[in-house]
Amino acid sequence: MNVVLKTGSSIDIEQEHIDELATKLRGQLLTESDKSYDEVRQLWNGMHNKKPALIIRCCGVADVVSSVRFARHHNILVSIRAGGHNVSGSASNDGGMMIDLSLMKGIRVNPDKKTVHAQGGVTWGDLDSETQVFNMVAPGGVVSTTGIAGLTLGGGLGWLRKKYGLSIDNLISVDMVTAEGKCIRASKTENTDLFWAIRGGGGNFGVVTSFEYQLHPLGPMVTLCAPFYPAEEAKDILPRWKKFAEASPDEVSTTAMFWTIPPVPNFPEEVHGRRVLILTAVHCGSPVEGEKVLQPLRELSRPLVDLSTPIPWMVLQGMFDPFFPKGEQLYYFKSKYLNALDDKTIDAILPKAIAPPQTMILIAIWHIGGAMSRISDEETAFMGRQSSYLFSVDAIWTGEENSEKVISYAREFLDDLKAYSPGGLYVNFSGLGEEGEDLVKEAYGDNYKRLASVKSSFDPDNFFHLNQNIKPG
């Protein structure tokens, strides 16, 4: 079998060696000749059509160890897929080996200790389903089909960021398979430098096979605020949203989003195709208190649509899922932190936010504060906690013929905002990572040197480099 190496060249590996690896696995070894190969290799982002020579569908840690050791022995190009939800496509590769954790779905909740252990293939929908049995939650993302692994290792922004912080702020420990194929644990008392690094440093340091999170009481109901205002009123509305956001209690996390109402039955026909500003906010306390606290956001003008309501946490977490289907659309998410949301910044945002080249492009302004901002940038690898806002272009479109225009729009939009940014970005929203080392250094700022040192300790040969790559120092 012809397999691509880490160096970029390729070799033929004798079939008997492939067969020997297969006999060691409890899971599956797939090649292009297998019927399920095309279905399994598909990533969430339809932009990517990569074809690994080998896909290892791991059923447990032993399978991960066998795969890593085999790949290391033969110097094979390796990528790691957990939820497969990453925009950049780095979860797969052409011609190498994909180590696929998506079958590793084990979850164990300890309601007495208020903790949960979850394997690397778990999604946030999977995790919420188990923890909500006990009316508890681990802070995660905003789309239930997102994998816990990628989101957590990059930081983990979600609806509970002001009350309970990022996903990494609730991480107690991880189990990891290193580049040498060894099983280790990292926590605040074990491999402490590694534990610091994986909280924001991505998949640079090994294959994380399980996560342990601190749980918090929540649910089953929270309060959603979601008035849809005409986008042309944004210049008047955004300063008042900013005032609300910055004065709001920790129970409220809010994001302002520019979007186009799609022609689906969920929305009145008369508003189909309208560009809107949605002031989305979630209150994670008492629904009675939540309705009262969020009411001002519903009165800033006359909404075209208002989806505000008390809502089960599980329903809230799945609300965006239909608009982010796997393999059916192309995605390019790019981000930048903002100094503030003053009049000049708003004026710089509005022209492109109101008139995107494709209707389904989402522009999001995430308010940052509360619990996630009370942790210093030095305490974890994640950077950006002290910024007031994160701005992201979540480009969504169909048709490869539109790709160049959409991606250019996103890049130009971020360039327009350089004067209003302290620098930095959210690594989970880093486009295709096309800027390479410059992007990673910008994302981690002063933490980059320490991250490179940890990389040297745990992956000195840069075996795991298909990621937002931190080169060994």
Side-chain angles (χ1 to χ4, degrees), residues 122-135:
V122 168
T123 67
W124 286 105
D126 299 330
L127 194 69
D128 284 335
S129 180
E130 298 301 316
T131 61
Q132 278 293 282
V133 171
F134 305 96
N135 288 340

Side-chain angles (χ1 to χ4, degrees), residues 73-208:
H73 176 75
H74 293 282
N75 200 29
I76 297 172
L77 177 70
V78 166
S79 59
I80 312 301
R81 177 172 73 177
H85 213 272
N86 69 322
V87 172
S88 69
S90 58
S92 189
N93 64 73
D94 284 311
M97 174 189 287
M98 186 206 316
I99 298 176
D100 178 12
L101 308 185
S102 63
L103 297 180
M104 294 175 59
K105 294 280 196 180
I107 300 172
R108 177 167 55 86
V109 178
N110 187 325
D112 295 326
K113 292 185 176 180
K114 296 182 179 178
T115 61
V116 60
H117 284 82
Q119 288 185 303
V122 168
T123 67
W124 286 105
D126 299 330
L127 194 69
D128 284 335
S129 180
E130 298 301 316
T131 61
Q132 278 293 282
V133 171
F134 305 96
N135 288 340
M136 290 192 287
V137 68
V142 298
V143 177
S144 76
T145 54
T146 307
I148 65 169
L151 187 98
T152 299
L153 295 175
L157 277 170
W159 292 125
L160 304 175
R161 60 188 181 272
K162 282 180 62 187
K163 181 64 175 178
Y164 298 124
L166 302 170
S167 298
I168 55 172
D169 301 332
N170 298 275
L171 193 61
I172 298 172
S173 69
V174 298
D175 293 319
M176 177 183 287
V177 176
T178 69
E180 294 180 345
K182 295 181 179 179
C183 299
I184 63 173
R185 179 181 168 90
S187 68
K188 288 186 177 180
T189 58
E190 304 164 273
N191 293 303
T192 54
D193 273 357
L194 177 62
F195 189 60
W196 173 87
I198 59 104
R199 287 180 289 165
N204 274 282
F205 309 100
V207 185
V208 180

Side-chain angles (χ1 to χ4, degrees), residues 425 436-446 448 469:
L425 63 135
E437 191 172 16
D438 289 341
L439 179 145
V440 181
K441 286 184 174 180
E442 181 184 359
Y444 295 113
D446 293 340
Y448 184 82
N469 191 232

Side-chain angles (χ1 to χ4, degrees), residues 21-22 24-29 54-80 97-101 104 177-181 207 463-464:
L21 171 61
K24 293 179 180 179
L25 303 172
R26 290 181 60 242
Q28 297 175 294
L29 187 156
L54 299 167
I55 299 176
I56 314 298
R57 305 208 76 192
C58 299
C59 283
V61 176
D63 287 355
V64 177
V65 170
S66 295
S67 303
V68 168
R69 289 179 178 174
F70 183 88
R72 180 144 193 126
H73 176 75
H74 293 282
N75 200 29
I76 297 172
L77 177 70
V78 166
S79 59
I80 312 301
M97 174 189 287
M98 186 206 316
I99 298 176
D100 178 12
L101 308 185
M104 294 175 59
V177 176
T178 69
E180 294 180 345
V207 185
F463 179 74
F464 298 112

Side-chain angles (χ1 to χ4, degrees), residues 230-270:
E232 56 269 24
E233 297 182 15
K235 185 175 177 61
D236 175 62
I237 291 174
L238 277 177
R240 291 187 284 162
W241 171 75
K242 169 198 169 183
K243 184 177 180 181
F244 170 90
E246 294 180 357
S248 63
D250 285 358
E251 286 75 16
V252 174
S253 293
T254 181
T255 304
M257 299 185 292
F258 290 87
W259 193 54
T260 304
I261 297 177
V264 295
N266 309 62
F267 298 102
E269 188 173 347
E270 61 269 20

Side-chain angles (χ1 to χ4, degrees), residues 37 41 367 412:
Y37 173 83
R41 72 180 175 89
H367 175 246
E412 290 169 6

